[in-house]
Amino acid sequence: MAGFNVNELPQRAKKIASEIGKKMPVKPCIGLILGSGWGGIAAALKSAVSIPYSELPEMPACGVAGHAGNFVFGSAENKQVAVVQGRFHLYEGHSEASAVLPVRVLYELGVRTVILTNAAGGINPNYSVGDLMILNDHINFTCRNPLIGLKPTAEFPDRFVDMTAVYDRTVQNIIREECGKLNIPAHFGTYLQVLGPSYETPAEIRAFRALGADAVGMSTVIEAIYARYLNMKVAGVSNITNMGAGLVAGGLAHADVLRESHRREPLLARLMLQIIARTE
Ligand code: HPA
């Protein structure tokens, strides 16, 4: 597994944040981590400046089709926003430490509210492709945890993080209301993270439904755990790009998932601007 020790995260992230600071003065208050289909917001920011990961020390290489590797800084609704464009997925062989490095960089830049976005397969039979799911809880089905091996620090002495209310209720309601204004069907639901990269079998989708999951994807939960450890305010939204395996006729193809996710990019960018306007 490529990566570094979780205890190196603060130091690495501080170096990256300081390098970003040398390139441009940034003081973001909101951070966005963009999944497939959510990229439109980066282009919608005012005075946006993009810094490729490759120009920053300590950043792992990022390389999945459809996932650029950049930090983008800009403003929206008079708020400074930091955007993470390009995740380090566990299915690429990245460690949990790499997967949460962008979250820690956001933290070191001063971000205290993070909105995690993704593309996901719908499991709840009431969902349709094109709906959004606002995360109100999650199931960590990766059997990995970014806090394993973490030594208590003066800043963060507690690794036994309370996960009773991971996703901020106020932000959840804001997202729901803004979806309503744009006529985007939205549900509150439970997201289950798998490791991937293979998609699920129909039996796994049935099993996840029995466990209480409403949607399944390959990111987000690991980041949410780490963000809560940092005591950040967390929200999450899934773009339902397909129904889970076996729920509809035919198989799943990554290209179809990507195509569906990009179809609504402009609409999701508008939604995100409206969410930013109301989120502290
Ligand atoms: N399963 C897992 N991850 C996904 C899916 C899916 O069906 N769709 C988009 N990401």
Side-chain angles (χ1 to χ4, degrees):
M1 193 188 309
F4 50 88
N5 189 282
V6 280
N7 293 298
E8 293 168 35
L9 272 168
Q11 204 189 350
R12 273 194 179 239
K14 280 186 174 82
K15 259 197 206 166
I16 295 164
S18 123
E19 196 64 30
I20 290 169
K22 278 187 219 158
K23 291 178 187 285
M24 59 180 299
V26 289
K27 239 186 166 321
C29 56
I30 297 181
L32 310 176
I33 298 194
L34 303 185
S36 306
W38 293 91
I41 184 64
L45 295 180
K46 289 203 187 87
S47 320
V49 176
S50 175
I51 302 180
Y53 293 168
S54 56
E55 287 181 14
L56 296 167
E58 313 282 342
M59 288 298 284
C62 176
V64 182
H67 297 272
N70 305 294
F71 284 102
V72 183
F73 301 96
S75 68
E77 312 292 341
N78 287 325
K79 288 182 182 145
Q80 295 293 312
V81 181
V83 173
V84 174
Q85 220 178 21
R87 284 186 157 106
F88 301 107
H89 296 97
L90 298 177
Y91 65 70
E92 293 173 86
H94 287 296
S95 64
E96 298 87 304
S98 294
V100 301
L101 177 62
V103 176
R104 185 73 194 218
V105 173
L106 292 177
Y107 179 84
E108 299 300 340
L109 289 169
V111 168
R112 293 296 178 266
T113 300
V114 63
I115 304 179
L116 308 169
T117 65
N118 59 49
I123 296 180
N124 187 317
N126 297 321
Y127 292 6
S128 303
V129 171
D131 293 357
L132 293 189
M133 185 186 84
I134 302 155
L135 277 64
N136 61 14
D137 208 343
H138 73 222
I139 296 171
N140 182 2
F141 207 79
T142 65
C143 297
R144 308 261 195 96
N145 192 302
L147 310 182
I148 290 173
L150 204 64
K151 295 194 176 68
T153 61
E155 199 179 4
F156 296 107
D158 190 9
R159 66 187 125 182
F160 299 103
V161 178
D162 178 24
M163 300 295 286
T164 310
V166 175
Y167 301 94
D168 185 83
R169 185 55 81 89
T170 306
V171 185
Q172 284 182 47
N173 288 332
I174 289 171
I175 299 173
R176 172 65 165 250
E177 285 167 22
E178 296 308 320
C179 284
K181 290 180 194 163
L182 290 172
N183 284 323
I184 303 172
H187 315 269
F188 291 118
T190 298
Y191 176 93
L192 182 146
Q193 181 178 353
V194 289
L195 280 178
S198 53
Y199 288 117
E200 299 69 40
T201 63
E204 285 166 344
I205 293 294
R206 287 194 300 275
F208 295 162
R209 182 70 196 136
L211 289 178
D214 296 296
V216 57
M218 303 177 193
S219 67
T220 303
V221 167
I222 293 291
E223 294 154 337
I225 293 170
Y226 193 73
R228 284 306 299 142
Y229 159 74
L230 297 175
N231 213 13
M232 293 168 93
K233 195 190 277 187
V234 178
V237 206
S238 294
N239 174 18
I240 304 297
T241 48
N242 58 282
M243 290 310 288
L247 295 182
V248 288
L252 288 180
H254 184 56
D256 296 340
V257 169
L258 279 184
R259 189 172 338 101
E260 175 55 35
S261 69
H262 291 309
R263 202 172 55 78
R264 287 184 315 144
E265 227 169 75
L267 181 61
L268 297 185
R270 270 181 68 193
L271 172 69
M272 196 52 87
L273 283 175
Q274 294 179 198
I275 296 169
I276 291 167
R278 292 185 56 199
T279 301
E280 297 304 326

